[in-house]
Amino acid sequence: MILRNERVDQGAAVGSAVQTQRGQTVTRSLIEQWLPSASIGAESVRETGTFTALPPTFALHVWWARRPHIASRAAVIASALPAWPTPNEAEGSEDCKRVLAGLQNEFPGGEAEYHAWFLLCLGIAGDPVSSRKAIAAAKEAGIKLPGNGYGYPRAFTESPGKEVLERISRLAALRGNPGSGQMTLLDMFSGGGSIPFEAVRYGFNTYANELNPVASAILEGTVALPSDLGVEFTQVINVWGNRWSSRVRKRLEEYYPLQGGETVVAYVWAHTVPCPTTGRPTPLSPNYWLARPASGLKVAVDLEIDHEAGVVHPRIVEGSSATGPGSRATYKNGTATSIWTGETFSGEYIQEMAQSGHLGQQLLALAITRSGVKGRKFRAPTGDDLAAVQAAEQELSARLPGWEISDLAPTDEIPDGWKTSEPRRMGLTRWSDMFTPRQLLANLTALEETQKIVSEAREEISEAQANALGLYLAFAISKCLNYNSRMSVWHSLRQVTANTFSQHDLSFKMSFAELDAAHSLPDWAIDQIRRTYEGTARLISGGERLDSFQRSGKVEIISGSATQLPLESQSIDFIVTDPPYSDNVMYAELSDYFYVWLKRALKSTWPQFTNLVSTDKVSEAVANPYLFKDMAPPVQRGRKKTDAKTAAKLADDRYEELMKQSFREAHRVLKSDGVMTVMFTHKKISAWDTLGSALLDSGFSINSSWPVHTESENSLHQAKKNSAKSSIFLGCRKRVDGDPAYWSDIRRDVERAAEDAVTRFAEQGMTGVDLTIATYGPVLSVLSDRWPVYTGELDGDGKPEVLRPDAALDLAREKVASLKKRELLGGRDIDFDRITDWYLLAWSDFAAAEFPYDEARKLSIATHLEIDDLAKRNKVIKASSGSVTLLTPAQRVTAGALDPDAAEFGTWLDRLHALMALYDSDGLGAAKAWLSRTRLVDDSTLTEVVRAALYAIPRVKDKGAFARPEARILDSLRAALFDHIEPPADEVEPIIVQHEQQTFGFDV
């Protein structure tokens, strides 16, 4: 019996607990029937809710995407455990009867007891959804709740006991052949390792596949070695790591002089280029703050210019004297200002100077602490400081030739790429150029000492331990690289050094920070590695409990492409994977920054991670248009469009093909009764279209879809960017070939699936772009039931044309748009006009003023509009660089698209914006006069437009004030003229979550 779109807790599952596949009865997994996604989502957000207490696995080494442990754990266990069969299913199937009997034996209280145990198995010992609401309410009221507010520890810190592991093993065996042995999991795209980590932790043998050698090394250090070596190896890292840091300190301390009793927190620098007129070095910086007023201090660098001598003397200023110098910008928005002549010069000139070898740097200040003195202090550089910098440059010049001969120096060329083009434009063409001479000297010294320490350690500890030590010391070097480059910056609000990868790119920083690589950095780096290893080992071994059963899950790391797995056909019980998200992150390009150092540090200990010249960009399953820049015609303004594919389209096609090949390989290695859970987060329909095509064309059906809030909460509204917070967990199986269909035959089924999903998820409180993407899984599931689905047309080869999944996804979006409008209007159907509808839905869907152009276009299709009309004729948006920005009422007035004094207005949005602009500029009296003149006093339609806008536009506050001017004006306007409208609740200002690979600060 097939129950289409059966409504179950927090998601959508299709089908019963049993399925017939090629004449074989297949019992289904729990994730295909039920998943407590709201609780998992709340606990996932809790897990990543503070950067001071992230899982230790997150801090071992930079990786640009990591799933929360609790979400990964839930996906793994729910994929392995059986669904609870109904009595009817048990009567019709001996396998279901056996499964039901086994479950009833374990859980005499029935299915509810099973579900409650599952949550406890995850470590969720309370109600995190209600707890988060209570915490938010308490925060708004200024109340401190007792304890942590949840009543139980964070779930990821709870390790499963022996009884739990034994029960999971028994229950998982119910789905397979009795006595078939331990289940085996595959993660095809292992990345930072959250899925393999939790799989091994819960006793499953695991294959962790990863193309990128940096990620493979991270997997070894995160999953394999802590599982094999246990907590005791912490002492090995501590002893030998301290020797390493001590030796590095002794070799470098003369290049980092200290004044009595001080510790240098950071050296603050600015890059320089010659002034176009005088040729003298001009420092470039967006500001000269050392401590911003919001931090409680007010400290800046003032530049004293000696025109006669042609030198600049930095001077530290504090208090009111710091306001002018701190706010001064010698580089802003692509334009620089010469401190010598006051003339401005372009970013192109800066790049030209940098590429010709004229990029320099000037030391501006030192951030320090002093013994017995509280807080940060700042001082100007002394002669000793500047002499030490010169001495380091001379030492590097003397040593670099030998280091190059021994292949220790990473002088590899930076390949031209989408992200790597950023440093290349600034004349940084080799990876060694990413560091100043003193930084490079320090990092190479640390690398050289690593090789010596590992060689010595082999004489005293086992070969396996020595190799492991080599890996963790290499990770300590990566810590140094991340916080000691031209791209690491001084964070003047927090007064710490932010790391190189504060964003997922290699963007050039005009001003930067350098750390004391003798007295502070090595000790900090090895301490970080020691603590993260110990924490990781305790988690994977269950603390001090190291009995054999708890460590029975083993991991094998496969370094290679997911398109060619060295595994036998039908050898894998289940797959849980988190594939790359189209063009979100260029992992290979970014990871080369670390790889050129790791391959030198690990060549004698882990040669399997060092056999490439650079990371593999061609085989990487991402949409990288730079790979196709020479294959696509150049884009030129004023030219007619051609049928030739752009580089971006060629990249999308390549990404889709690699995803199809990967999922076909998954189909090959997965057992006939196996399940594959795919975790996916992306707000663009095009990415979901690609994923859907890859899954469907690879022979999979989509049996369940669960939206889980997995992404870190941060101030997205204030950043004026939209983002999806939810991941969709898709439960997939090998598809049973059925009868194909035409789009016209199943269109209504797709509509019903979308309507059911959007209604259900909206009732659960899901909003914005998350509500939209939550409908995609159920819609794709309908397609998978009848795949291939034909359009009714012929393709270019004269064959029946196969439907692209985006046709169904677009239909889902239309249904979401319709429901969102009704919700904004309190459940009423009121016709405004298409432009007003689009504006309200854009705010509701994206919850941000800026969002991708393609998403704006998709929404315009759903509302039957042309995007060009919105941008050029009505000037509701500004379109640029692949994104659109919603204009404020004042901006529309300035742009000439809106005149509050006009006699007539074409849309209800124009009327609303005219009233808002007039009220904000001229006050309440002018607004009342406008309402009287336009005869809109007490107009019911205007009231509904105001109501809809009030509820659509985010009401996030920053320090008590609305972040968006539209929200501020509407809130005041409602109180003054529309007080009969019930005000919406203000959104609690989100916690800014900072991961190490984002904006962690180095502190001493």
Side-chain angles (χ1 to χ4, degrees), residues 636-656:
Q636 297 181 359
R637 294 180 180 272
R639 297 287 182 91
K640 292 183 178 180
K641 293 183 178 180
T642 68
D643 293 332
K645 291 185 177 181
T646 64
K649 184 63 173 71
L650 290 169
D652 288 340
D653 290 348
R654 173 62 175 165
Y655 169 66
E656 181 172 329

Side-chain angles (χ1 to χ4, degrees), residues 824 833-846 848 851 859 863 865 870 876-877 886-889 892 909 912-913 916 945 948-949 952-953 964 966-967 970:
L824 291 173
D833 54 75
R834 287 177 294 171
I835 290 175
T836 304
D837 287 351
W838 187 94
Y839 178 85
L840 294 171
L841 290 170
W843 273 117
S844 177
D845 205 7
F846 305 120
F851 42 91
L859 183 57
T863 49
L865 283 170
L870 290 166
V876 175
I877 59 173
L886 291 165
L887 298 181
T888 65
R892 293 189 68 209
L909 177 63
L912 174 67
H913 274 185
M916 291 172 65
V945 173
I953 296 172
R964 290 299 310 173
E966 298 94 332
L970 283 166

Side-chain angles (χ1 to χ4, degrees), residues 821 824-825 832 840 943-953:
K821 181 185 173 185
L824 291 173
L825 296 171
F832 296 137
L840 294 171
T943 298
E944 295 304 328
V945 173
V946 172
R947 185 196 310 276
L950 267 168
Y951 280 83
I953 296 172

Side-chain angles (χ1 to χ4, degrees), residues 836-984:
T836 304
D837 287 351
W838 187 94
Y839 178 85
L840 294 171
L841 290 170
W843 273 117
S844 177
D845 205 7
F846 305 120
E850 184 179 341
F851 42 91
Y853 179 92
D854 191 56
E855 296 304 291
R857 183 182 64 82
K858 292 286 187 181
L859 183 57
S860 69
I861 292 171
T863 49
H864 309 288
L865 283 170
E866 291 292 335
I867 193 85
D868 283 349
D869 289 342
L870 290 166
K872 297 176 181 178
R873 180 184 299 173
N874 303 99
K875 296 183 180 177
V876 175
I877 59 173
K878 178 183 178 182
S880 61
S881 302
S883 65
V884 302
T885 303
L886 291 165
L887 298 181
T888 65
Q891 289 171 330
R892 293 189 68 209
V893 171
T894 301
L898 185 66
D899 179 9
D901 295 327
E904 295 181 355
F905 299 90
T907 68
W908 282 104
L909 177 63
D910 288 346
R911 296 181 182 94
L912 174 67
H913 274 185
L915 176 60
M916 291 172 65
L918 201 61
Y919 177 80
D920 194 40
S921 62
D922 297 346
L924 180 59
K928 288 182 175 179
W930 183 89
L931 287 170
S932 178
R933 178 179 68 82
T934 56
R935 299 180 181 179
L936 291 173
V937 176
D938 297 327
D939 185 273
S940 61
T941 304
L942 179 63
T943 298
E944 295 304 328
V945 173
V946 172
R947 185 196 310 276
L950 267 168
Y951 280 83
I953 296 172
R955 294 171 62 83
V956 172
K957 290 185 175 180
D958 182 10
K959 297 177 182 177
F962 285 109
R964 290 299 310 173
E966 298 94 332
R968 171 183 56 80
I969 298 168
L970 283 166
D971 186 71
S972 180
L973 195 63
R974 185 210 65 81
L977 295 172
F978 299 90
D979 59 353
H980 54 289
I981 299 176
E982 186 72 21

Side-chain angles (χ1 to χ4, degrees), residues 747 809-819 861-864:
R747 181 186 174 98
L809 300 177
D810 285 336
L811 185 59
R813 179 161 221 163
E814 287 187 27
K815 295 301 177 185
V816 173
S818 176
L819 179 113
I861 292 171
T863 49
H864 309 288

